[in-house]
């Protein structure tokens, strides 16, 4: 499993993490959107909320691995090259997404701690980040919810930009992050 990018593609690790994190983020959002299907205090609601926490913290752990893999070499070149303003916007978008994937789990952990609840992460009790404080919990929860709304926009714009580059511009932006296809005739 190559860690380094080639001239035309991201590394296998970067590609796998990109798509895994997309699935995880979709599940994080699904958990929070679907929690309303269960009455407050029910086992189903508790399970779905705890899954939201655990999946969000999984994103937090994986984003650091992703940043490490990103720094192992330069990004593959885009052909034909994008205008400088698009390159700048793409960089800003990527850093905004990384900030989102770091800040949102921390905010969620802070909310949970301020509410006086323990956060479980794959069977381990995580430490409380702050003392119980219902007012602080409410304030941080507002930031967390705002971040969640911004995340919808960031993820959506990122996807639209990739599709725009692929189908309208016709460059290799999207192909650099796509899993490698195996040719069934040659086995490679």
């Amino acid at each position: 499993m190559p860690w380094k990018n080639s001239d035309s593609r991201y590394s296998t690790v970067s590609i796998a993490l990109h798509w895994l994190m997309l699935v995880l983020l979709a599940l994080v959002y699904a958990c929070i959107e679907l929690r309303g299907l269960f009455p407050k205090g029910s086992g189903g609601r508790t399970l779905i909320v705890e899954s939201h926490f655990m999946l969000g913290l999984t994103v937090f752990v994986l984003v650091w691995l992703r940043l490490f893999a990103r720094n192992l070499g330069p990004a593959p070149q885009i052909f034909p090259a994008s205008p400088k303003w698009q390159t700048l916007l793409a960089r800003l978008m990527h850093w905004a997404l990384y900030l989102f994937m770091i800040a949102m789990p921390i905010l969620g952990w802070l909310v949970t701690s301020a509410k006086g609840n323990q956060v479980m992460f794959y069977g381990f009790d995580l430490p409380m980040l702050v003392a119980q404080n219902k007012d602080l919990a409410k304030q941080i929860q507002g930031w967390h919810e705002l971040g969640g709304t911004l995340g919808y926009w960031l993820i959506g714009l990122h996807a639209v930009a990739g599709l725009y580059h692929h189908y309208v511009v016709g460059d290799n932006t999207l192909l650099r992050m796509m899993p490698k296809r195996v040719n069934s005739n040659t086995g490679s």
Side-chain angles (χ1 to χ4, degrees):
M1 184 181 289
W3 279 84
K4 294 200 176 199
N5 301 331
S6 71
D7 291 337
S8 61
R9 300 177 49 75
Y10 282 97
S11 71
T12 304
V13 170
S14 291
I15 292 169
L17 285 171
H18 177 273
W19 295 107
L20 172 61
M21 291 175 80
L22 172 64
V23 170
L24 288 172
L25 286 168
L27 291 171
V28 166
Y29 275 106
C31 284
I32 212 61
E33 295 297 337
L34 297 175
R35 76 182 187 274
L37 296 175
F38 302 95
K40 286 187 178 185
S42 70
R45 188 173 183 121
T46 300
L47 176 64
I48 206 161
V49 169
E50 286 177 358
S51 296
H52 173 78
F53 297 151
M54 191 171 66
L55 293 168
L57 287 169
T58 302
V59 168
F60 179 75
V61 169
L62 292 177
V63 74
W64 297 105
L65 182 59
R66 191 148 174 218
L67 285 165
F68 175 75
R70 175 188 173 97
N71 288 314
L72 289 178
Q77 295 298 310
I78 297 174
F79 297 108
S82 298
K84 288 186 185 212
W85 67 270
Q86 284 184 6
T87 302
L88 176 62
L89 282 178
R91 282 191 182 122
L92 291 173
M93 172 61 77
H94 284 107
W95 285 110
L97 284 164
Y98 286 123
L99 179 63
F100 167 76
M101 291 184 282
I102 292 168
M104 288 299 288
I106 292 171
L107 288 172
W109 191 353
L110 283 167
V111 169
T112 304
S113 295
K115 286 182 177 179
N117 298 325
Q118 193 70 46
V119 174
M120 290 282 291
F121 186 63
Y122 295 101
F124 295 98
D125 285 334
L126 298 181
M128 305 291 262
L129 295 180
V130 294
Q132 185 172 349
N133 181 329
K134 299 293 183 184
D135 292 332
L136 179 62
K138 191 173 183 178
Q139 182 180 14
I140 297 171
Q141 185 163 347
W143 298 339
H144 188 66
E145 289 171 1
L146 175 62
T149 301
L150 291 173
Y152 276 122
W153 284 98
L154 288 172
I155 294 164
L157 287 171
H158 180 67
V160 166
L163 294 171
Y164 168 78
H165 277 272
H166 187 72
Y167 290 107
V168 176
V169 176
D171 64 22
N172 68 332
T173 296
L174 183 61
L175 296 175
R176 299 176 315 151
M177 191 51 82
M178 294 301 291
K180 204 171 198 175
R181 290 188 179 192
V182 176
N183 185 339
S184 60
N185 293 336
T186 64
S188 61

